[in-house]
Amino acid sequence: SLYPGRGFSSYGSAIQGRRAAKTAASFIKSSLRPRVKKEAVESLIKDMWGPRNVEKGYSPQWVTATLQNTMTPLHIIYIKDPRRLDGALASIEFLRKHCVPKMIARDGHELRMAHEAKNMLLNAEMKLRSGLFREESRGTHFREDFPARNDKDWHCWVTVQQNAEEMQMGKYK
């Protein structure tokens, strides 16, 4: 099989996103209208505007730069080792738990950036946990401790699901 190099994963993501959107639209058309409690809506609105109410803390630009510095080194993004992935994961978890709640947004632009930074951290955590979970090498995913491709156990999609406060990893064949 041929695998694209760096930067080409966005094409596959766009295709997968399009398929997901079509499936979601179909599901919505055949579903009953959900009932949402007023308190849940108010909580979401409060969270959405939260960074506008923070007076001292971190800029979304700083959080994003720190995230990028954590995720983009060759020894994290391409040549993976569990110890290094665990270290990067600890950094991402720290940012998510301690810095995201203290991000400052002085205007609408920074508010958008704060939400983007929060979502980028979630995405980074999913990538790191998936990299730790997949115990083989395939395409641009290379594990030093599992240098060979293993179709018997890993010819599958890795799934990530949020359960309570923890991500659950799984396989879908």
Side-chain angles (χ1 to χ4, degrees), residues 1 23 29 54 72 132 137 141 155:
S1 293
T23 303
K29 285 179 184 177
V54 176
T72 57
L132 284 163
S137 291
H141 171 76
H155 191 252

Side-chain angles (χ1 to χ4, degrees), residues 29-73:
K29 285 179 184 177
S30 65
S31 298
L32 297 174
R33 186 179 174 123
R35 294 184 183 194
V36 181
K37 293 184 178 184
K38 184 179 179 180
E39 297 82 21
V41 173
E42 289 171 354
S43 176
L44 289 171
I45 290 170
K46 181 180 176 187
D47 288 347
M48 180 181 70
W49 290 104
R52 293 282 283 148
N53 300 317
V54 176
E55 293 184 24
K56 288 186 176 185
Y58 305 97
S59 74
Q61 296 91 332
W62 180 85
V63 173
T64 299
T66 305
L67 160 69
Q68 290 169 337
N69 288 334
T70 301
M71 293 298 293
T72 57

Side-chain angles (χ1 to χ4, degrees), residues 78-92:
Y78 289 119
I79 303 172
K80 299 173 177 97
D81 171 83
R83 220 170 51 110
R84 293 191 304 266
L85 293 176
D86 280 332
L89 184 58
S91 294
I92 296 302

Side-chain angles (χ1 to χ4, degrees), residues 84-101:
R84 293 191 304 266
L85 293 176
D86 280 332
L89 184 58
S91 294
I92 296 302
E93 287 174 334
F94 177 84
L95 289 169
R96 202 168 49 76
K97 291 176 184 173
H98 299 283
C99 299
V100 166

